[in-house]
């Protein structure tokens, strides 16, 4: 039997009458609804590209530093012109991986990669001539990159996706993107571990209160009261760490971040206040940062 959708308050559909001979046909083109949907898809695509570029920089940046130190070319990699091209490469790699996962054509991938490089290549000439400083080179390259990306995205917005065979492991990793993003954000910290300031613990409850207020999810049973209790708890730990100072403060900060991972787990299972993607990201980030700080404490003389 064919499955049909049932609506509680459905009404009988009345077919529209056929147009009269005197009716003027509607002009061809997208309807307002399809146009709005196309704009949302375009903005979503650009947002994905931006996140993929940031992920490429976070993941590959520390690897360039390690390779530069090992090969003795750290000074060369630190030059503004070389650093600009390395950054463009990191962004292109991240963007390419994600665009192919999202089944974009190679021609679109290549053009988006050109949007990463061309702005810097154009500004390298005045930089070599001494007309621009390093800050202007970096800032100008990123500013010119934005309209270049928009032009490429608009040019290919109507293309049908290409068939892509994805390995199940790749699909699983893509579904766990909050975890991957959190790990990427801490890659460089494992190379040079350090203890965060005690005041950073105030961000932990603040994120839940802010997101819950925006989403309007603090009105449930005990929602606001529980979040305020969490805020009071981490304020107390923060003040205790500030007063204690030294190694005791470092352990309090590390344990405060680790304890918040349990807070994230409880909210992830409940599915309230904040989206589950945020709780997954926050939980992995909390555990990773706590691990970095414990490593810093254990490898530092008391």
């Amino acid at each position: 039997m064919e499955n049909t959708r049932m609506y509680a308050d459905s009404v009988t559909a009345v077919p529209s009458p056929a147009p009269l001979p005197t009716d003027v046909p509607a002009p061809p083109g997208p309807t307002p609804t399809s146009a709005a949907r196309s704009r949302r898809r375009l903005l979503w695509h650009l947002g994905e590209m931006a996140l993929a570029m940031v992920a490429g920089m976070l993941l590959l940046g520390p690897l360039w530093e390690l390779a530069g130190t090992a090969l003795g070319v750290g000074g060369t990699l630190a030059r503004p012109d070389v650093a600009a091209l390395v950054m463009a490469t990191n962004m292109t790699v991240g963007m390419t991986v994600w665009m192919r996962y999202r089944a974009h054509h190679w021609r679109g991938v290549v053009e988006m990669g050109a949007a990463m490089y061309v702005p810097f290549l154009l500004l390298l000439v005045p930089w070599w001539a001494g007309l621009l400083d390093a800050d202007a080179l970096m800032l100008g390259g990123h500013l010119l990159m934005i309209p270049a990306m928009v032009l490429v995205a608009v040019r290919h917005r109507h293309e049908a996706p290409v068939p892509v065979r994805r390995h199940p492991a790749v699909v699983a990793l893509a579904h766990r993107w909050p975890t991957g993003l959190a790990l990427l954000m801490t890659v460089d910290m494992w190379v040079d571990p350090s203890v965060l300031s005690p005041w950073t613990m105030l961000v932990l409850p603040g994120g839940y209160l802010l997101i819950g207020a925006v989403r309007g999810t603090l009105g449930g049973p005990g929602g606001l009261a529980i979040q305020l209790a969490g805020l009071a708890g981490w304020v107390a730990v923060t003040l205790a760490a500030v007063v204690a100072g030294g190694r005791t403060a470092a352990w309090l900060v590390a344990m405060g971040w680790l304890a918040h991972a349990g807070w994230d787990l409880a909210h992830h299972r409940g599915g309230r206040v904040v989206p589950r993607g945020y709780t997954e990201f926050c939980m992995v980030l909390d555990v990773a940062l706590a691990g970095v700080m414990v490593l810093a404490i254990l490898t530092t003389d008391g």
Side-chain angles (χ1 to χ4, degrees):
M1 180 181 295
E2 182 182 359
N3 293 329
T4 58
R5 294 185 180 180
M6 303 297 293
Y7 297 91
D9 53 351
S10 60
V11 295
T12 303
V14 179
S16 301
L20 298 175
T22 55
D23 288 347
V24 178
T31 64
T33 302
S34 63
R37 189 181 299 113
S38 178
R39 285 194 297 269
R40 288 195 298 269
R41 190 185 304 112
L42 176 63
L43 293 175
W44 184 262
H45 172 57
L46 290 171
E48 287 183 341
M49 293 303 95
L51 288 177
M53 290 156 54
V54 172
M57 289 189 294
L58 291 174
L59 178 62
L60 299 178
L63 299 181
W64 281 97
E65 294 180 7
L66 291 175
T69 302
L71 299 175
V73 294
T76 302
L77 292 176
R79 286 182 42 174
D81 50 353
V82 178
L85 296 179
V86 168
M87 183 179 299
T89 301
N90 296 343
M91 292 187 291
T92 301
V93 170
M95 176 270 303
T96 299
V97 171
W98 186 250
M99 287 188 71
R100 287 302 295 170
Y101 177 81
R102 297 289 281 174
H104 289 275
H105 290 268
W106 273 113
R107 57 178 175 271
V109 175
V110 172
E111 291 181 17
M112 192 66 78
M116 307 293 104
Y117 283 100
V118 171
F120 289 112
L121 293 175
L122 291 176
L123 294 177
L124 282 178
V125 176
W127 183 81
W128 285 327
L131 302 177
L132 293 177
D133 58 13
D135 293 336
L137 172 64
M138 288 296 184
L139 179 60
H142 284 89
L143 290 178
L144 291 176
M145 192 184 299
I146 296 174
M149 291 176 58
V150 173
L151 288 175
V152 175
V154 170
R155 166 176 157 79
H156 296 281
R157 68 188 184 279
H158 296 308
E159 287 186 351
V162 297
V164 176
R165 297 183 62 183
R166 304 185 182 97
H167 193 276
V170 175
V171 176
L173 289 174
H175 288 167
R176 296 270 72 85
W177 68 265
T179 295
L181 181 60
L183 293 176
L184 287 176
M185 293 180 63
T186 60
V187 168
D188 58 335
M189 300 187 68
W190 290 98
V191 179
D192 186 18
S194 61
V195 179
L196 299 177
S197 168
W199 298 107
T200 58
M201 287 190 289
L202 298 181
V203 178
L204 302 176
Y208 277 77
L209 284 168
L210 178 61
I211 296 175
V214 172
R215 300 179 74 222
T217 53
L218 294 176
L224 181 59
I226 292 175
Q227 299 307 317
L228 291 177
L231 175 63
W234 269 283
V235 167
V237 176
T238 299
L239 295 178
V242 171
V243 172
R247 202 174 183 85
T248 301
W251 279 111
L252 284 173
V253 175
M255 292 302 103
W257 279 84
L258 185 60
H260 195 263
W263 182 270
D264 297 324
L265 178 60
H267 283 78
H268 185 75
R269 297 180 63 181
R272 295 172 49 201
V273 183
V274 297
R276 278 194 167 91
Y278 177 82
T279 54
E280 178 184 340
F281 164 79
C282 195
M283 178 169 53
V284 176
L285 183 67
D286 293 343
V287 172
L289 290 178
V292 167
M293 287 185 277
V294 170
L295 179 62
I297 296 171
L298 295 179
T299 56
T300 302
D301 295 334

